[in-house]
Amino acid sequence: MFAFAPYGSYWRDLRKIVTLELLSNRRIQLLSHVRVSEVGASIKELYKRWTGSSSHFQVELNQWFEKEGRRCLSAIKEFIHLLGKFVPSDAIPGIGWLDLGGYEKAMKKTAKDLDYILSECHNLGYDCRRHRYQHVYPYVVNISIELLNNFHVLTKAQEELDVHVGKDRFVKESDLGKLVYIPAIIKETLRLHSPAPLLLPHEFTEDCIIAGFHISKGTRLMTNLWKIHTDRSIWTDLLEFKPERFLTTHKYVELRGNHYEFIPFGSGRRICPGISFGLRLLHFTLATFQHPFEISSPIGAPVNMPETFGVTNLKSTLLQVLVKPRLPSNLYTK
Ligand code: HEM
């Protein structure tokens, strides 16, 4: 929640605690076994649905990723949905008491739901780790759609996994460092389908002049990532899904906010502190899912990608895929 706190000592203290205690490389490493068992269990559950015939079976990916922690997830989804709403009283504060559209009432209910869930976690010593993963799983769905629509990319990713991991075991986190194509797929998806297409709202704390424009203190800045990530002066074949660009022409472009032409995690002081954790989980989940299954689209045509309007970018319709195991059966049942 400190993402919504203004810059100051409260934000600074929380950010320090979270960065050092929750999202540091050491903590991410210490919790590796949780990721491995969660992702491994999901793969095995998926395999159980396969009847053993030679054909593919159909899976709805959003539901598969979301099946756990559904209640928590729906409260978080509602929170994110409300966060991205333009409420009339934002523009005309005087009419706030009318609560046009009932948004304030809905916000109060969501706040109560989230408070309840968090205090329940605390009281019962409940395992919230899964819920932390929900943050990035919808994004794996977005990446999967890029892959379904670009079959050659999927094939190339599987070839890379076959070379570095082989076909007689599943992916381990220690394999991730050897992969170059899957990181490029993730970068290309973050370019074309950034999860936070407007970053978060920033506010100027003092008057200043930028590029000759006078900006008054208190002005809100919404950053249009889509515009930046499809800037003609930087990118060629703007709308094409080409992970190869990050291995050739744009090899130098990294993700940590130092190259302003590509800032899916933001940049500067308020840059996302979950970069390492988010990327580790994305790489691992995607590699672990792609390696043991053949994946294709049931409609045999490009999958539509309508996105929700709001502060985070989610696919607004369900994603059906056909899945078929491609590794020796004893691996899935170990
Ligand atoms: C692919 C995964 C992710 C992406 C693309 C992403 C992207 C972003 C973006 C764009 C911002 C706003 C930056 C700005 O406005 O300048 C942000 C902020 C933030 N993110 Fe992430 N994020 C991801 C994963 C995570 C994860 C896994 C966590 C924690 C578990 C996390 C925690 C936060 C927090 C706490 C902030 C607010 C930081 C502050 O205000 O100082 N993010 N993220």
Side-chain angles (χ1 to χ4, degrees):
M1 292 298 165
F2 71 83
F4 308 103
Y7 180 68
S9 59
Y10 172 76
W11 167 81
R12 226 182 355 256
D13 289 348
L14 271 182
R15 171 129 187 162
K16 203 166 161 188
I17 293 168
V18 167
T19 307
L20 292 177
E21 303 296 336
L22 295 177
L23 299 170
S24 65
N25 285 336
R26 190 181 124 73
R27 179 68 65 193
I28 294 171
Q29 202 45 47
L30 280 176
L31 289 174
S32 157
H33 63 285
V34 182
R35 291 188 294 279
V36 171
S37 82
E38 289 293 327
V39 177
S42 300
I43 296 295
K44 285 174 187 162
E45 274 170 39
L46 197 54
Y47 179 77
K48 277 193 209 148
R49 296 203 210 163
W50 188 56
T51 55
S53 71
S54 59
S55 59
H56 291 72
F57 63 105
Q58 191 156 323
V59 182
E60 204 296 288
L61 272 196
N62 302 54
Q63 278 172 14
W64 180 56
F65 282 121
E66 290 175 6
K67 71 190 177 339
E68 302 288 345
R70 206 175 284 274
R71 184 160 144 259
C72 181
L73 190 72
S74 72
I76 291 174
K77 267 189 172 167
E78 181 64 5
F79 170 72
I80 289 172
H81 167 74
L82 289 168
L83 194 67
K85 276 268 170 239
F86 287 102
V87 176
S89 59
D90 283 348
I92 318 167
I95 61 167
W97 62 274
L98 285 171
D99 191 18
L100 294 174
Y103 294 118
E104 198 171 322
K105 194 171 165 203
M107 287 171 190
K108 282 183 179 155
K109 181 180 175 307
T110 306
K112 239 184 181 167
D113 286 352
L114 282 176
D115 262 1
Y116 179 76
I117 290 164
L118 293 177
S119 54
E120 199 182 44
C121 290
H122 179 74
N123 292 341
L124 301 177
Y126 189 67
D127 187 351
C128 289
R129 288 172 300 195
R130 285 192 167 179
H131 302 149
R132 198 140 43 110
Y133 295 162
Q134 306 293 334
H135 196 76
V136 285
Y137 276 172
Y139 200 60
V140 181
V141 173
N142 281 6
I143 300 175
S144 309
I145 300 166
E146 285 323 309
L147 297 177
L148 287 173
N149 289 349
N150 295 273
F151 202 71
H152 67 284
V153 174
L154 181 62
T155 312
K156 230 170 145 178
Q158 275 176 341
E159 280 167 10
E160 179 175 57
L161 289 164
D162 289 347
V163 168
H164 293 292
V165 180
K167 286 190 167 184
D168 53 5
R169 65 172 176 86
F170 284 161
V171 177
K172 292 183 195 159
E173 280 205 324
S174 54
D175 296 318
L176 299 180
K178 298 176 220 155
L179 308 176
V180 291
Y181 197 62
I182 288 180
I185 292 176
I186 288 175
K187 277 185 172 175
E188 182 67 340
T189 316
L190 287 166
R191 183 182 73 84
L192 279 174
H193 304 282
S194 284
L198 300 175
L199 298 183
L200 288 174
H202 288 241
E203 200 172 283
F204 285 80
T205 49
E206 48 192 73
D207 294 347
C208 61
I209 297 175
I210 298 179
F213 292 95
H214 290 269
I215 317 276
S216 319
K217 178 180 170 177
T219 301
R220 281 207 179 165
L221 172 75
M222 309 285 275
T223 311
N224 186 348
L225 280 198
W226 171 255
K227 185 96 179 119
I228 296 174
H229 290 177
T230 55
D231 181 342
R232 278 177 199 286
S233 65
I234 309 279
W235 310 97
T236 48
D237 302 325
L238 316 174
L239 303 181
E240 276 179 43
F241 187 82
K242 278 191 167 175
E244 288 77 9
R245 70 176 85 240
F246 286 104
L247 301 174
T248 52
T249 48
H250 292 76
K251 196 174 176 181
Y252 67 96
V253 177
E254 46 85 307
L255 278 163
R256 292 177 184 266
N258 299 316
H259 294 111
Y260 297 138
E261 61 271 47
F262 185 52
I263 48 168
F265 291 95
S267 178
R269 227 173 259 185
R270 300 296 291 244
I271 193 171
C272 174
I275 302 181
S276 300
F277 176 59
L279 286 178
R280 178 77 73 97
L281 196 53
L282 277 180
H283 284 130
F284 185 56
T285 310
L286 193 63
T288 311
F289 177 53
Q290 269 176 9
H291 183 226
F293 294 110
E294 272 174 27
I295 308 159
S296 54
S297 158
I299 53 174
V303 177
N304 257 338
M305 189 133 175
E307 291 163 352
T308 51
F309 179 71
V311 89
T312 55
N313 186 0
L314 300 175
K315 185 177 183 299
S316 60
T317 50
L318 299 180
L319 174 62
Q320 304 280 354
V321 294
L322 292 178
V323 175
K324 185 180 160 190
R326 64 187 283 277
L327 298 181
S329 55
N330 62 322
L331 290 184
Y332 303 81
T333 48
K334 259 187 201 167

